[in-house]
Amino acid sequence: MEFTNQNIELSTLPEVEDSDFHGLEKDYLYMRLTAWGIFFFITGLVFSIWSLLGSFTWWHWLAPWAALLTFILFVEIKGFRIKGYSIREKDISYKSGLIFFSMTSIPFNRIQHCEVGQGPLGRAFDLAAVKVYTAGGSSSDIIIRGLQEERAQKLRDYITKLSADYE
Amino acid sequence: MSEIDLSTKKRQAPIGVAILFLLNLRKAVNLFIPFLFLKYGAGSSLLGISLYAIGIILFLGFIAFSYFEYKNFFFYAVEDKFIIERGVFRKDKTTIPFERIQTVHTAQNLAQQLFKVVGLKIDTAGSADNEIEIPALDRSYARSLQEYLLKKKEKDQKQQSEPGEEETTAQPEVESWEKPILKLSIKDLLKVGLTENHLRSGLILFAVVNGYIWQFEEFLLEPFEPYLEEAEGWLTQWVLLLPFTIIVFIVVSVAFSLIRIVLRYFNLQFFLNERGLVLKSGLLKRNEFHVPRNKIQYFKWSSNPLRKLLGFKTFVVKQAGVNENREDKRTVSVPGCKNKQLIDVLQEFYPERYTGKFHRLGSHKLLFFQRFIWLVMMPSIIVTASFYASELTWHYFAPIPLFVLLGGFWAHKFQRSVQFRTNGEVIEIKKGWIFPSHLSITMYKLQNVSLKRSIFQRRRGLSTLVFFTAAGDESMPHLSHNDAIDIYNFVLYKIESSQKSWM
């Protein structure tokens, strides 16, 4: 496709390329797997007790439970490599999603504010999330989870400084 | 315009007591209804107190409440902030820095018209519920206050952007002008009312009535009880009743749309001025919207089959802060616009739209398959299966193939109607066959972009683009991936290189 009325060539425009993206901390994958582990452990335990009491046939829940477990392991491990963020001179991008891929870029001159958040599991793994907000409503925001806390703080300060230049 | 003084606490016009009382009346009635039920529905003695006594107590209570509400309602200014205090039991204090005021508009509902006062609504930047109303002010006072707040706001915003310069370079007086775009005559108003989407009006009415009416379920069903008991053959009765029901539904829906349109758009005046865009309309409740130039984010216009015949379009101005895609009281929509009026507005605010050539891109066939499978095939299969399960005769199955055929045709037409086009400055998306809608955004008004790609799209080399603005987001489904990437990069470049402010 061409934009012939422009005095710039499309091919000369900077592209958001895969190679620019940084992956997330490996610990973030382990954190997610831990969260899922807790979920599967608890559901497994509840169903087991149920079955031991004799009111639930084992394979009735064990088959879908195991299938879901395998599926989630697959999506998490395979999908982890897709998650990543990229910071260029004038914008920040985040991508994720194995089955439903999504990539969002926010120019620094449109950032409303930026903050660091950390949940209880995140604290245990020393991981934090950087949240970048625009005026475009919640679906347009970027949340980069799975950064070392110190790095997240630095990133936040960096983004805040860059976006402040535009105000 | 007389200068007004807000250094001391001000109250509303004294007649405000009456306005507040009327505003509270609904609450009072809602409180009263349960007693009615207890008395007549449940046959309770209400502890021996008569219904009249309860009514009078509630009435007096609410008069007193309204009086104190009036007494405790203050507005004043401290330094660079506008402050509103209110509340009887729980006191609220709302502080609005002048610079955060978005728009100030006045409105008059029936009660306010009756008592010759106006309500002043102040809109602030931020989420949707940040609207504050001063319900009862003298008309002239409201005007001055509106003027005062807007002036303060402009001054404060100026100071923020260029500190130190404000005194020397006195605000360059923008020449005031006014360009009328549209005045809806009674005839056109009726046309708009008659060509409204009656099905929607009917459903809205149905939802409202339905929600309210079942509070009185017991009373309503009582006269029908004997018929309902002979439930046998109710289906045939229902089928006999159906044409009658449909006619009633149509008549009521048309009447309801007409009333709604007349109430909302009576004596509609739509014009542009140096500040932006103004819309005045309404019969019992007159609304006045002033949308400042920079608050406009994008434009959207739509039509329906009947209105297409008349060349009418409904023009919607999407403004920052009115973020919800659902119908909002503050949505500025102008029905009965012709093409010429549309172009007048777009030329004024989006001159970029009239430069260069547009490049068009369609949406892939995948859109057809998705619509067809989810909206046509799935319901058909479910209905067929349930008919089969209840062993109905073949008559019942007969309309299903027809539905599939029509549905398929619709899905096809819909897919073909989806179109993206850009001239490098403006993005436009067209969608819809029966209810076509069209939108136009200049790229510097965009906040950011997003590219979505499911595994189904990946296999066919497609992507969906989502454009975010401060007034909601819009998407273009199933573009070829390479085009989508080009547009993505280009839009980012445009946002990043633009010096113009999105607000």
Side-chain angles (χ1 to χ4, degrees):
Chain A
M1 206 182 64
E2 288 172 83
F3 297 93
T4 45
N5 61 329
Q6 290 298 311
N7 49 13
I8 38 142
E9 272 295 308
L10 261 191
S11 52
T12 63
L13 283 181
E15 285 178 33
V16 183
E17 274 176 90
D18 281 355
S19 53
D20 303 339
F21 279 83
H22 309 281
L24 305 177
E25 289 296 326
K26 201 86 187 166
D27 275 351
Y28 180 56
L29 175 62
Y30 301 141
M31 182 183 112
R32 288 188 71 99
L33 291 178
T34 311
W36 280 117
I38 293 169
F39 171 79
F40 279 101
F41 178 73
I42 290 173
T43 48
L45 199 69
V46 169
F47 284 130
S48 303
I49 292 168
W50 218 338
S51 296
L52 285 173
L53 293 174
S55 49
F56 210 161
T57 326
W58 281 95
W59 64 269
H60 272 186
W61 66 267
L62 208 51
W65 186 82
L68 193 67
L69 180 65
T70 326
F71 178 70
I72 288 204
L73 272 179
F74 174 76
V75 170
E76 283 293 342
I77 291 167
K78 201 99 161 110
F80 179 73
R81 273 190 292 159
I82 294 170
K83 293 191 177 107
Y85 66 98
S86 146
I87 296 168
R88 303 190 298 175
E89 199 188 329
K90 290 196 160 67
D91 55 29
I92 175 164
S93 308
Y94 180 72
K95 66 187 177 90
S96 69
L98 179 69
I99 296 168
F100 295 100
F101 174 81
S102 151
M103 172 168 77
T104 304
S105 299
I106 302 182
F108 289 131
N109 58 357
R110 292 290 186 274
I111 290 176
Q112 290 288 305
H113 72 284
C114 181
E115 62 182 42
V116 172
Q118 195 179 39
L121 253 184
R123 214 163 293 135
F125 281 86
D126 187 34
L127 292 174
V130 172
K131 302 178 188 175
V132 185
Y133 297 96
T134 73
S138 56
S139 52
S140 71
D141 303 333
I142 287 181
I143 302 176
I144 308 171
R145 296 196 170 81
L147 295 169
Q148 265 175 11
E149 210 211 323
E150 203 192 315
R151 176 138 181 72
Q153 306 274 14
K154 267 191 195 151
L155 188 59
R156 194 243 348 251
D157 295 343
Y158 180 71
I159 294 169
T160 311
K161 195 178 125 263
L162 275 181
S163 61
D165 289 346
Y166 291 99
E167 274 178 3
Chain B
M1 207 62 64
S2 56
E3 194 56 41
I4 55 169
D5 172 36
L6 285 178
S7 55
T8 54
K9 291 185 176 187
K10 293 281 182 302
R11 283 207 181 93
Q12 305 177 80
I15 201 70
V17 181
I19 299 289
L20 289 167
F21 176 70
L22 288 170
L23 282 175
N24 288 329
L25 200 62
R26 245 181 81 169
K27 283 184 220 158
V29 169
N30 280 344
L31 262 180
F32 190 61
I33 286 177
F35 289 108
L36 266 179
F37 265 97
L38 280 176
K39 179 86 178 169
Y40 294 108
S44 154
S45 67
L46 299 179
L47 303 170
I49 308 168
S50 86
L51 214 49
Y52 294 108
I54 290 174
I56 288 166
I57 291 168
L58 275 174
F59 187 76
L60 291 176
F62 269 91
I63 285 189
F65 183 78
S66 305
Y67 175 73
F68 286 114
E69 208 178 350
Y70 165 75
K71 270 285 183 197
N72 289 344
F73 194 112
F74 296 108
F75 54 91
Y76 54 98
V78 175
E79 288 165 16
D80 56 348
K81 294 178 200 78
F82 184 67
I83 297 168
I84 291 178
E85 277 180 28
R86 65 180 148 190
V88 179
F89 299 116
R90 200 195 63 177
K91 300 236 189 307
D92 268 335
K93 188 171 165 182
T94 312
T95 307
I96 312 164
F98 288 124
E99 82 211 18
R100 282 206 33 219
I101 294 175
Q102 288 298 320
T103 51
V104 184
H105 67 263
T106 57
Q108 245 185 332
N109 62 22
L110 189 59
Q112 287 161 333
Q113 273 178 21
L114 212 65
F115 291 109
K116 299 205 164 54
V117 291
V118 294
L120 190 77
K121 288 183 179 169
I122 302 165
D123 226 337
T124 57
S127 65
D129 48 39
N130 273 345
E131 197 190 50
I132 294 137
E133 183 176 9
I134 305 175
L137 292 172
D138 285 331
R139 179 165 270 284
S140 63
Y141 190 80
R143 270 284 144 77
S144 330
L145 185 56
Q146 183 178 20
E147 208 58 23
Y148 169 86
L149 289 173
L150 287 174
K151 229 177 238 163
K152 277 281 196 188
K153 165 207 160 189
E154 268 165 30
K155 204 175 139 218
D156 276 21
Q157 279 175 346
K158 250 201 144 50
Q159 276 183 356
Q160 267 231 327
S161 52
E162 35 197 274
E165 253 181 87
E166 76 282 354
E167 287 307 321
T168 44
T169 53
Q171 198 178 325
E173 272 301 317
V174 186
E175 209 180 317
S176 78
W177 51 269
E178 206 172 281
K179 182 183 178 190
I181 295 289
L182 176 72
K183 276 188 183 165
L184 220 49
S185 66
I186 299 279
K187 209 174 116 198
D188 281 347
L189 184 69
L190 291 179
K191 278 190 198 165
V192 169
L194 287 171
T195 54
E196 174 69 351
N197 183 352
H198 300 302
L199 190 63
R200 213 187 68 189
S201 316
L203 290 177
I204 292 174
L205 186 67
F206 185 72
V208 171
V209 171
N210 209 20
Y212 207 68
I213 213 163
W214 293 114
Q215 295 180 15
F216 311 97
E217 187 176 354
E218 278 176 59
F219 304 102
L220 279 171
L221 288 181
E222 208 169 352
F224 295 103
E225 215 98 291
Y227 306 103
L228 287 171
E229 265 161 29
E230 322 169 21
E232 266 173 297
W234 64 271
L235 197 70
T236 34
Q237 275 184 14
W238 194 206
V239 169
L240 286 174
L241 272 173
L242 200 61
F244 175 72
T245 319
I246 288 174
I247 289 169
V248 169
F249 182 79
I250 290 172
V251 170
V252 170
S253 301
V254 171
F256 180 64
S257 338
L258 253 180
I259 292 169
R260 225 165 49 108
I261 293 288
V262 169
L263 285 182
R264 185 159 173 201
Y265 296 117
F266 182 77
N267 190 17
L268 178 144
Q269 291 169 323
F270 180 45
F271 56 90
L272 313 180
N273 63 20
E274 76 286 355
R275 281 220 185 106
L277 209 148
V278 182
L279 176 74
K280 297 178 183 177
S281 73
L283 181 60
L284 298 179
K285 183 179 177 181
R286 266 196 92 63
N287 271 312
E288 243 186 84
F289 291 102
H290 295 258
V291 187
R293 227 159 242 279
N294 53 2
K295 216 189 156 191
I296 300 170
Q297 298 297 304
Y298 66 101
F299 298 106
K300 207 166 178 173
W301 55 97
S302 56
S303 194
N304 68 32
L306 289 173
R307 283 186 183 159
K308 248 189 278 182
L309 291 176
L310 295 169
F312 278 177
K313 292 183 170 91
T314 302
F315 188 70
V316 177
V317 181
K318 295 279 188 176
Q319 39 174 339
V322 185
N323 222 333
E324 274 20 81
N325 278 330
R326 68 190 156 80
E327 201 148 313
D328 190 296
K329 265 185 292 176
R330 289 173 301 158
T331 302
V332 175
S333 82
V334 190
C337 267
K338 296 254 163 122
N339 240 341
K340 186 195 164 298
Q341 286 137 2
L342 213 100
I343 290 167
D344 278 352
V345 179
L346 287 168
Q347 261 172 343
E348 172 64 28
F349 296 107
Y350 278 8
E352 308 91 328
R353 188 174 188 253
Y354 297 90
T355 58
K357 230 177 82 201
F358 274 96
H359 293 267
R360 289 153 214 277
L361 293 168
S363 186
H364 187 265
K365 270 250 172 313
L366 184 60
L367 185 64
F368 162 77
F369 290 118
Q370 279 181 340
R371 296 257 155 173
F372 187 64
I373 289 169
W374 291 108
L375 298 176
V376 182
M377 283 319 281
M378 284 304 246
S380 304
I381 290 169
I382 291 168
V383 167
T384 311
S386 61
F387 280 3
Y388 186 76
S390 39
E391 299 177 340
L392 292 170
T393 53
W394 66 271
H395 302 94
Y396 287 92
F397 293 92
I400 293 173
L402 190 70
F403 171 74
V404 171
L405 225 63
L406 284 176
F409 184 65
W410 166 78
H412 170 74
K413 279 288 193 187
F414 181 83
Q415 182 251 318
R416 297 296 294 267
S417 76
V418 177
Q419 198 186 69
F420 174 93
R421 61 175 206 166
T422 178
N423 64 356
E425 297 288 341
V426 178
I427 285 173
E428 307 210 320
I429 300 171
K430 215 166 74 176
K431 272 181 195 171
W433 172 52
I434 301 172
F435 297 99
S437 84
H438 204 125
L439 64 96
S440 187
I441 312 177
T442 48
M443 291 198 196
Y444 71 86
K445 288 282 185 180
L446 288 170
Q447 295 294 321
N448 59 321
V449 264
S450 186
L451 182 140
K452 314 245 173 209
R453 202 175 190 204
S454 69
I455 42 173
F456 307 106
Q457 288 176 302
R458 172 182 283 273
R459 258 206 310 225
R460 293 171 181 83
L462 304 171
S463 287
T464 293
L465 282 180
V466 186
F467 302 95
F468 298 99
T469 77
D473 39 87
E474 298 288 350
S475 70
M476 176 62 201
H478 309 319
L479 285 165
S480 97
H481 184 65
N482 291 336
D483 285 346
I485 287 281
D486 279 353
I487 295 165
Y488 189 95
N489 288 324
F490 186 75
V491 165
L492 280 180
Y493 159 78
K494 282 306 259 191
I495 300 174
E496 284 156 15
S497 63
S498 165
Q499 298 301 315
K500 289 182 195 163
S501 148
W502 60 275
M503 185 144 133

